[in-house]
Amino acid sequence: LFLDLSRNALVKFPSEIQGLTCLTHLNLEYNFITFIPSFLIHLTELTWFDISNNWIVAISPLLEVHWQAMPMKWLDLTSNLFP
């Protein structure tokens, strides 16, 4: 399942995504999202995630711990506001 929500002026990570357990590709580039929530670890099929060109300043600590265990093959966090 592919979901492209790029260039939608989103200011937060859409919580509805957490129910899409068969999601494999998620594109959230060019929005205004500031935080990546921990529920992303439950998307066990997610292999491609682009959240570049947002305003990310933080990632859930739980997600940071479990990031390595995810099946992610492509992750793009470029052009964000990391401190």
Side-chain angles (χ1 to χ4, degrees):
L1 178 63
F2 291 66
L3 181 58
D4 186 349
L5 295 175
S6 61
R7 301 175 190 270
N8 276 287
L10 300 173
V11 295
K12 66 177 188 159
F13 206 99
S15 61
E16 295 82 4
I17 290 174
Q18 65 187 325
L20 301 176
T21 55
C22 59
L23 189 65
T24 59
H25 291 69
L26 178 57
N27 187 357
L28 292 172
E29 66 181 337
Y30 292 99
N31 282 292
F32 303 101
I33 298 170
T34 60
F35 181 74
I36 303 176
S38 62
F39 70 71
L40 205 63
I41 64 172
H42 300 294
L43 301 180
T44 57
E45 302 297 316
L46 189 64
T47 58
W48 191 94
F49 180 37
D50 189 341
I51 194 160
S52 62
N53 297 288
N54 275 274
W55 293 1
I56 302 294
V57 293
I59 297 173
S60 162
L62 182 61
L63 184 58
E64 285 188 58
V65 169
H66 293 284
W67 204 262
Q68 296 291 333
M70 294 179 72
M72 199 78 60
K73 291 183 170 71
W74 173 263
L75 172 62
D76 192 346
L77 291 164
T78 59
S79 299
N80 278 288
L81 300 176
F82 290 114

